[in-house]
Amino acid sequence: MLGGLGVASVAALAACGSDDEGGTGEGGENGGGAAGEAITANGTEPENPLLPSNTNEVGGGRIIQNIYAGLCYYEADGSVQNDLAESIETTDAQNYTIRIRSGQTWSDGTPVTAQDFVDAWNYTALLTNDQLQAYFFSPIQGYDEVQADPPTAETMSGLQVVDDTTFTVALTEPEGDFPLRLGYSAYYPLPPSAYDDLEAFGENPVGNGPYMLAQEGAWQHNVRIDLVPNDSYDGPRAAQNSGLAFIFYESQDAAYADLTSGNLDILDQMPDSALTVFESDLGERAVNQPAAIFQAFTIPQYMPGMTGEAGQLRRRAISLAIDRETICEQIFSGTRTPARDYTSPVINGYSDSIEGNEVLDYDPDQAAQLWQQAEALEPFTGSFDIAYNADGPHQGWVDAVTAGLRQTLGIQSEGRPYATFAQLRSEVNARSIQTAFRSGWQADYPSLYNFLGPNYGTGGSSNDGDYSNPEFDALLVQGGSTTDVDQAAELWNQAQTILFQDLPAIALWYQNVSAGSAETVENVEFGWDSQPLYYEVTKA
């Protein structure tokens, strides 16, 4: 955990570190990868075309991270290293000068320039472009103008191009963890050709990362996507294999069957049915380690019966009616840990003793009393259902939670499955879903703020329940404004006390990386964010 961060040391942190090992190769020499078959891995159909500006879910994110490169990237332990950045400098944590390495190109041979970053960031932030990742640019001066309805500016005043390899970023106030964010995909650049037809570009993008699409039509929707090494990439994540094939399985059980039979190289999430056996089945190839993954279910602010005083009582009752410890042991076989907050224990600043988190304890008697108090104020009608995607390992815990609600609260409660993650997200994004719905967060960058801001800040990019509390927002801003990392964590944890009062989502558990690989591959390492470092994997 970092100590107090004074202004004089911010410049050192902002450099994102540099990785002298792991090899920046000479184009096709390192970038060409090893000969042989592609590495096969499980995946899910991306929700949207492959644009960093509009991808905020894991299925698309794992592909985006491999076909694009940004200023920085994250090592397995969450440390930040330079990728395209040569330097990121500041003296006040508010005004940054960013220089990119010269000679970098897109996969079509055109140069990567500072303008490519500035144009992509402005495009993402502009309200009329309706991009899911716009929120990540809210600290930059001029964001409010491009987000006005209608916008009063087309570009953010805080972004200025100095020359082909240099641009400056001016924030509205100091942001001590701003450099930590720059490895996240929202901050990736786009080539000039993208803007000719962004939807078509997203189907077959020109990238600048360690991989590129194998060919036109390499994305077979709902089936698979095939990537090959990008010889134009000259950076620290050079592909050490001949390519990646992400297979979109309809169920994790089918993926596990392929893994154990040697027909799949890597599986990054075990199905419920394998949690008791995968470590014995896979031996040293099994992975069960903490990761920056938080699981919950969201209760939309507009959901009938869940607003006002009665709604607040019901939210508390629902939380207290969930036996998290038993579910983690019996259903997840110890690959989950009951939540004590809304972030993750692997993130610096985490606390398990936040005021109000006793609402996460299992107390069926108090739960029943609170529900009856709510009934006296406003009777609840219908069923309290929890929507989930059936192509992920969710049915087991949803069935257990809803059974507990039926028994403890005496209400109707069921799971509501959607065939695919994309189908569930479609209704969530359209705000047409009328039930609670499962919601998880796999961190974009290693900071408490990354869990809290996007999910619960007003207008947050993943605030799918439309929660808004000015006091909570103010504490987020105060935490982000300090360059003292301990003070920032204290303020962000104070903000969580408000979440435990309002309960916009019901915190459930932290998720381990429960994953594994087949005997067909070597050098498989899973990172802090639960994802394999695909570019390191080699065929056995």
Side-chain angles (χ1 to χ4, degrees):
M1 184 175 185
L2 295 174
L5 180 62
V7 170
S9 65
V10 173
L13 170 65
C16 280
S18 62
D19 187 5
D20 294 328
E21 299 178 296
T24 57
E26 291 294 323
E29 187 173 323
N30 270 3
E37 297 178 358
I39 304 300
T40 57
N42 70 296
T44 53
E45 171 73 9
E47 181 183 356
N48 294 307
L50 298 173
L51 297 172
S53 59
N54 210 35
T55 298
N56 67 346
E57 43 82 25
V58 177
R62 60 164 61 93
I63 299 167
I64 293 283
Q65 289 170 11
N66 284 288
I67 61 177
Y68 293 95
L71 296 168
C72 306
Y73 73 101
Y74 302 111
E75 293 277 22
D77 63 359
S79 60
V80 189
Q81 306 293 342
N82 283 349
D83 198 334
L84 266 64
E86 180 175 284
S87 64
I88 302 173
E89 299 175 341
T90 184
T91 57
D92 59 4
Q94 183 171 357
N95 296 282
Y96 291 85
T97 298
I98 299 175
R99 294 179 177 87
I100 63 173
R101 292 186 289 118
S102 60
Q104 306 307 300
T105 62
W106 295 95
S107 59
D108 64 359
T110 58
V112 178
T113 68
Q115 190 73 53
D116 295 343
F117 281 93
V118 170
D119 287 347
W121 294 12
N122 277 321
Y123 174 82
T124 305
L126 186 61
L127 177 71
T128 51
N129 292 329
D130 193 26
Q131 298 297 288
L132 292 172
Q133 301 281 47
Y135 177 80
F136 283 93
F137 298 95
S138 59
I140 298 176
Q141 291 180 17
Y143 177 80
D144 289 345
E145 286 74 17
V146 300
Q147 277 284 303
D149 190 9
T152 57
E154 294 290 310
T155 60
M156 292 180 284
S157 58
L159 296 179
Q160 298 294 328
V161 174
V162 177
D163 55 41
D164 282 350
T165 59
T166 310
F167 67 103
T168 59
V169 183
L171 308 182
T172 56
E173 55 198 349
E175 295 273 357
D177 75 342
F178 182 71
L180 293 178
R181 309 176 193 183
L182 297 178
Y184 179 50
S185 59
Y187 300 99
Y188 288 171
L190 281 174
S193 61
Y195 304 98
D196 295 339
D197 186 338
L198 278 158
E199 186 171 353
F201 176 88
E203 289 292 317
N204 189 35
V206 171
N208 66 326
Y211 296 91
M212 61 184 184
L213 268 66
Q215 59 191 19
E216 186 82 27
W219 182 1
Q220 301 176 52
H221 287 280
N222 299 303
V223 179
R224 63 186 289 159
I225 190 166
D226 292 282
L227 309 180
V228 294
N230 174 18
D231 290 343
S232 298
Y233 175 73
D234 178 18
R237 295 188 295 143
Q240 303 302 308
N241 50 60
S242 294
L244 305 174
F246 291 104
I247 314 301
F248 306 151
Y249 287 91
E250 292 185 1
S251 74
Q252 296 296 96
D253 289 298
Y256 185 70
D258 273 0
L259 182 75
T260 54
S261 63
N263 293 319
L264 181 70
D265 293 326
I266 302 172
L267 179 60
D268 68 2
Q269 187 176 27
M270 292 294 157
D272 292 352
S273 60
L275 292 179
T276 59
V277 299
F278 82 98
E279 291 180 284
S280 59
D281 284 352
L282 301 178
E284 294 182 351
R285 294 176 287 107
V287 176
N288 187 15
Q289 67 187 43
I293 308 177
F294 165 80
Q295 299 286 354
F297 61 84
T298 296
I299 303 175
Q301 297 297 301
Y302 55 80
M303 185 173 171
M306 291 293 155
T307 60
E309 183 180 355
Q312 191 169 37
L313 289 168
R314 288 196 175 97
R315 289 168 187 261
R316 294 185 64 83
I318 289 166
S319 184
L320 290 164
I322 300 172
D323 189 349
R324 294 165 177 80
E325 186 171 345
T326 297
I327 292 174
C328 287
E329 286 301 319
Q330 293 189 359
I331 293 180
F332 293 119
S333 302
T335 61
R336 308 289 191 276
T337 303
R340 301 308 302 169
D341 83 328
Y342 284 85
T343 69
S344 165
V346 305
I347 302 297
N348 284 340
Y350 164 81
S351 173
D352 63 0
S353 55
I354 294 171
E355 181 183 347
N357 72 354
E358 64 274 5
V359 75
L360 302 178
D361 298 332
Y362 179 50
D363 191 337
D365 292 336
Q366 185 183 3
Q369 292 172 10
L370 290 171
W371 191 269
Q372 289 308 311
Q373 291 176 29
E375 286 294 283
L377 294 172
E378 176 189 340
F380 183 78
T381 59
S383 178
F384 183 86
D385 294 343
I386 302 175
Y388 65 95
N389 53 297
D391 59 353
H394 303 296
Q395 181 177 350
W397 72 259
V398 171
D399 287 349
V401 167
T402 52
L405 296 180
R406 292 194 300 269
Q407 179 178 349
T408 300
L409 304 179
I411 63 173
Q412 204 174 346
S413 182
E414 302 288 346
R416 183 174 294 187
Y418 286 71
T420 66
F421 180 74
Q423 290 177 10
L424 172 62
R425 292 298 307 171
S426 177
E427 287 206 16
V428 169
N429 287 335
R431 301 301 191 262
S432 59
I433 195 164
Q434 297 298 311
T435 68
F437 52 89
R438 82 100 182 157
S439 51
W441 189 252
Q442 181 172 307
D444 306 309
Y445 57 92
S447 169
L448 295 176
Y449 180 88
N450 181 238
F451 287 84
L452 304 177
N455 288 304
Y456 310 111
T458 299
S461 60
S462 296
N463 186 349
D464 297 323
D466 294 332
Y467 173 69
S468 180
N469 184 310
E471 185 181 356
F472 175 80
D473 292 342
L475 287 167
L476 287 186
V477 171
Q478 290 177 43
S481 299
T482 179
T483 56
D484 184 322
V485 293
D486 292 331
Q487 184 181 6
E490 182 179 345
L491 288 163
W492 289 331
N493 284 331
Q494 186 179 340
Q496 290 198 74
T497 66
I498 298 172
L499 295 184
F500 282 122
Q501 295 169 12
D502 295 345
L503 295 173
I506 306 300
L508 295 172
W509 35 75
Y510 313 118
Q511 182 175 325
N512 279 9
V513 183
S514 52
S517 57
E519 295 177 344
T520 51
V521 287
E522 297 173 339
N523 302 313
V524 180
E525 183 177 21
F526 283 79
W528 65 282
D529 60 353
S530 87
Q531 286 297 292
L533 277 63
Y534 293 104
Y535 60 92
E536 293 184 348
V537 181
T538 57
K539 282 287 188 178

